[in-house]
Amino acid sequence: MKKFMAHEAEVEAIFDLMVNQLSELLPDFGKSLAIDGKAVESFAKGNKKHEEPDGHRDTDADVGKKKILG
């Protein structure tokens, strides 16, 4: 994740490009949003020796929150 985040600007640019291309193909894209509330399992190993986030593991993979936006 640390290596990935080192290229955050490039990743965001790619994401924005993909959203723009999808918006051209699907004119209604982004007008409605639905989210599945199912938990997604993490492959990270539980490692208690690091209490602070270090970029090598999912420190909050066991936390979930549902919120209705309106």
Side-chain angles (χ1 to χ4, degrees):
M1 189 62 146
K2 196 177 216 180
K3 289 179 183 180
F4 181 75
M5 293 307 293
H7 302 283
E8 185 175 0
E10 291 89 347
V11 172
E12 286 187 23
I14 292 168
F15 178 81
D16 290 341
L17 176 65
M18 292 173 69
V19 169
N20 290 335
Q21 289 175 344
L22 198 52
S23 296
E24 289 176 14
L25 294 172
L26 304 170
D28 290 339
F29 179 72
K31 290 186 179 180
S32 299
L33 176 67
I35 300 172
D36 181 3
K38 183 179 182 325
V40 177
E41 291 186 35
S42 170
F43 292 105
K45 304 234 187 285
N47 189 350
K48 298 291 182 187
K49 70 180 180 180
H50 297 290
E51 293 296 326
E52 297 296 319
D54 59 5
H56 294 163
R57 59 199 167 84
D58 297 329
T59 57
D60 61 352
D62 62 347
V63 176
K65 181 176 181 181
K66 292 185 180 184
K67 183 175 181 180
I68 297 175
L69 302 174

